[in-house]
Amino acid sequence: AQIGPPGLELQSTNGVIKVKVFPPEANQRKKMWTNDLIFKYNLVFWENSSHAQLQSKNIFPVDTIDDLAPDSTYCFKVQANLPSERKQGLFSPVSCVKTTQKAVNDVLCATNLSVVALNMKFHLLWNNQDKKEVNYNVQYLLGFKKKLNDDYSDKWLSVPRCENITSTWCNFSSIITSTGFYYLRVQAREGHNKSCLSREVKVDPLKTNGIGPPGVRLDLSDTLLHIFISPPGGAGNEIMRDHYDLSYRILYWQNSTDKEEEVKQKEVKQTIATIPAWSPSTLYCVKVQAFSEPYNKSSAYSPQECIHTPAGTSLPLIILGIFMGALLGVLLVASSLGFVFYKAYRKIKYVFFPSCKPPLNIEGFGAQPFSSPYLSAAEEPVENCCVIESMITEEGNQIDFTNYKHSKQSSRDSGHYSNDDNTSGSKGSKEALEREVV
């Protein structure tokens, strides 16, 4: 869709032209673009003369054009643009207006307004033209109100502690935040009837603010030089710490009178840095600069800080001692671990892989597998034997079988005897022997 021409209204007062722009679809019930605040306005103006030169300026819906010649006619036209869509609208019809003379009391106005800001501390400075005692009132306007289509002339507020002052400076840090932007102006008063408003100055806090040098503190530990950095504005300045994404550039060198040492550089993101201190009894010096890459800002270098290293063993001997100590520690740890692993291996091998076999009465007899050590073996057969003792007497050469011995020979005792078998066996044997003797 084509962007139509916006409306334009002009008013000439006190030597300036007040411009008011209406959105392209201000009088339409149905709109292509429902949000009028997305438009950006480009004003083209020129003096209505034969040698006119076109001038262009981006303006707010309500704005003022100054630095115009008095009692002269100027012509204006404006267009509405959409940068996000790369669209340029049609120009409004040309409107012309004649400028007026400035008021006589302009000598009261504060001039050369400037803003000095460091570490989010903001000061407004201005000059006094008349060199007389004049009371000043510093006013500010929230920047987003200029983007609205309403008249903001009654939206200005007074800066606290900068009302009815006679000095030509004002600390307005109390009204500043990290978001948005502001406009400031100074109203000068002499008596009750005369007053004058200065030009406006725009303040975008994060862009206007300057970064101060950081704080530096040094400390020594063994062969290292520790550098402790305090962010600009102190540790409590959250805006400086959180919004600028600060980095630090460190310059360090040996401060020797007999020779000029090379200055070395190191960049860090942290507020703590370490550098090696090479030699004993040497003066080392450091200075630090803070910088922000997103905002392309950098601070001045901090004051030079120096520290003297104590006398002691030279660095190579210290390094050798550290190396030997570390090597000895590694050897002790390795030998301890080796001994522990060896003992564990011996235990595991003894339990799971014994080197000797168990006895036969545990493992089994010959090819017969061992079933259970708690079951009794089968009883073996027993042989019954009799021992007969003979005795020959002188009377009648009679052999008398007076007694006998009965024994059982076996590898195992059965634990009981059969009286019937033994008795019958003994009687039968005795009778047989007697018959043979007879």
Side-chain angles (χ1 to χ4, degrees), residues 86-98:
R86 298 182 179 180
K87 284 181 175 291
Q88 291 185 344
L90 301 177
F91 275 99
S92 66
V94 176
S95 299
C96 298
V97 66
K98 187 176 181 179

Side-chain angles (χ1 to χ4, degrees), residues 144-209:
F144 77 92
K145 293 186 177 181
K146 279 201 171 189
K147 295 183 178 181
L148 305 178
N149 295 320
D150 301 329
D151 189 358
Y152 56 83
S153 58
D154 58 346
K155 303 294 192 300
W156 289 84
L157 302 173
S158 296
V159 176
R161 295 185 296 276
C162 291
E163 301 172 288
N164 296 324
I165 60 176
T166 58
S167 61
T168 56
W169 62 272
C170 166
N171 184 348
F172 62 97
S173 305
S174 59
I175 68 169
I176 295 296
T177 63
S178 59
T179 58
F181 59 100
Y182 305 82
Y183 287 89
L184 284 94
R185 69 184 184 185
V186 178
Q187 182 185 36
R189 288 184 177 276
E190 186 181 33
H192 298 282
N193 299 325
K194 297 180 179 180
S195 66
C196 179
L197 290 173
S198 68
R199 293 185 180 181
E200 302 170 6
V201 58
K202 180 181 178 180
V203 178
D204 190 338
L206 293 179
K207 293 181 179 179
T208 306
N209 180 57

